[in-house]
Amino acid sequence: MAQTGRSGCPINLTLEQLGDRWSLVVIRDVMFGNRRSYGELLAQSEERIASNILADRLKRLTASGLLTRRAAPTHRQKVIYSLTEAAIQLVPLLAHMGAWGRRHTRPSKELSVRAELLEKGGAPLWNAFMEELRHLHLGAPRPARSVSGELQAAYEKALAKRSR
Amino acid sequence: MAQTGRSGCPINLTLEQLGDRWSLVVIRDVMFGNRRSYGELLAQSEERIASNILADRLKRLTASGLLTRRAAPTHRQKVIYSLTEAAIQLVPLLAHMGAWGRRHTRPSKELSVRAELLEKGGAPLWNAFMEELRHLHLGAPRPARSVSGELQAAYEKALAKRSR
DNA sequence: CCGACTGCTTGCAGTATGCAAGTGGTCTGC
DNA sequence: GCAGACCACTTGCATACTGCAAGCAGTCGG
């Protein structure tokens, strides 16, 4: 990212960390797509991110405390990325992005199903989903309500329908 | 912006339009700073945006329906930019960005006052502010409640305090 | 020990950005 | 009506970032 004049404005600081084409796409894939390794993020990316850009973003996001990396228990060289609490707290932001994109751009109907669900569910749904992410990524206790299933199911169903 | 693989995901579509370092900074300045002309946006920008980038973003944002431009009533060559309804609906997104930046980066305490107010006010405050923007930029009737004053006052006060 | 798999790295060409200076209209004072 | 200030951009150029294709080193399974 280019070096630019700084300012203490929180919106600007957020943009300095996440204001580029790919950072939030990576977060989104880890968050909603549950893609946890370099290979999964590279191959299953809907938008075909370039491999060097992906490597750079993973490095950057790890350095700035949005992701953590550790070796997979099965294979020593396989790396698993997890969201940090800071990243999990981006859920409302991404939900709003989805809602805005659904209203003010021309999303493919199939792929906006997830955003529609998130939008309709509002803050209670986001909170439930964030609890679930804390369980999955931070090892917090399993929450009572599980919502990622329905979100993911709707998304996969839409993807399958699309590829037909 | 680079040409990239598209996808129908609404989050990705939002990022295609706004996912760069400057677009949202410009929107923010028009929205919260009430800077309506090229000169104001250029000179009073806290982050010192480059003139050619500003010209490019104004063109882009106008083309994609987030801003409208018209001549000022007083001076024929002076141009005034206004937010469209689509841009006004970015208020919750920017509010979340501010809230996240305030919590997960190190903002200067003075400049995060506005974000703090927005965060505490929540959706009701955002809605009141959006009504006011519709009045200012779209010519909608003046709303009963006026909140931009307090937001702006807090911000200016913080700026003044900072320059001491 | 071989081939497949994993997570990256490298080279290169094209594009975007940042900076400083310049352009062409318009308004203001005299 | 004319000089100088003002306004909204443009232009040239060096540097940084991006996208693509290919390559590379460590591991695992047989």
Side-chain angles (χ1 to χ4, degrees), chain A residues 68-116:
Chain A
T68 53
R69 39 171 294 156
R70 64 187 153 85
T74 51
H75 308 281
R76 207 177 317 166
Q77 97 275 25
K78 180 157 185 172
V79 175
I80 293 196
Y81 290 92
S82 298
L83 300 172
T84 64
E85 176 62 25
I88 290 173
Q89 291 192 10
L90 288 169
V91 165
L93 188 65
L94 287 168
H96 272 290
M97 279 194 136
W100 190 88
R102 208 171 67 79
R103 282 197 228 157
H104 299 286
T105 64
R106 300 252 158 261
S108 78
K109 271 181 186 169
E110 302 84 24
L111 286 177
S112 63
V113 176
R114 198 176 56 189
E116 199 174 347

Side-chain angles (χ1 to χ4, degrees), chain B residues 124-152:
Chain B
L125 178 66
W126 308 343
N127 287 332
F129 183 55
M130 285 164 78
E131 269 313 309
E132 214 167 334
L133 287 174
R134 287 190 189 100
H135 167 64
L136 269 170
H137 290 255
L138 304 179
R142 179 186 297 278
R145 184 181 174 194
S146 173
V147 294
S148 69
E150 33 187 308
L151 278 177
Q152 193 55 20

Side-chain angles (χ1 to χ4, degrees), chain A residues 42-161:
Chain A
L42 188 65
Q44 300 170 34
S45 154
E46 181 75 11
E47 291 91 7
R48 303 270 154 225
I49 186 171
S51 61
N52 54 345
I53 306 289
L54 176 59
D56 178 76
R57 290 304 180 277
L58 288 172
K59 212 173 282 175
R60 226 186 264 268
L61 290 169
T62 304
S64 63
L66 290 170
L67 295 177
T68 53
R69 39 171 294 156
R70 64 187 153 85
T74 51
H75 308 281
R76 207 177 317 166
Q77 97 275 25
K78 180 157 185 172
V79 175
I80 293 196
Y81 290 92
S82 298
L83 300 172
T84 64
E85 176 62 25
I88 290 173
Q89 291 192 10
L90 288 169
V91 165
L93 188 65
L94 287 168
H96 272 290
M97 279 194 136
W100 190 88
R102 208 171 67 79
R103 282 197 228 157
H104 299 286
T105 64
R106 300 252 158 261
S108 78
K109 271 181 186 169
E110 302 84 24
L111 286 177
S112 63
V113 176
R114 198 176 56 189
E116 199 174 347
L117 277 176
L118 267 178
E119 196 177 348
K120 278 189 184 144
L125 177 67
W126 309 344
N127 288 332
F129 183 54
M130 286 164 78
E131 269 313 309
E132 214 168 334
L133 288 174
R134 287 189 189 100
H135 167 63
L136 269 170
H137 291 255
L138 305 178
R142 178 186 298 277
R145 184 181 174 195
S146 172
V147 295
S148 69
E150 32 186 308
L151 279 177
Q152 193 55 21
Y155 185 61
E156 300 293 345
K157 193 176 159 192
L159 270 181
K161 198 173 182 183

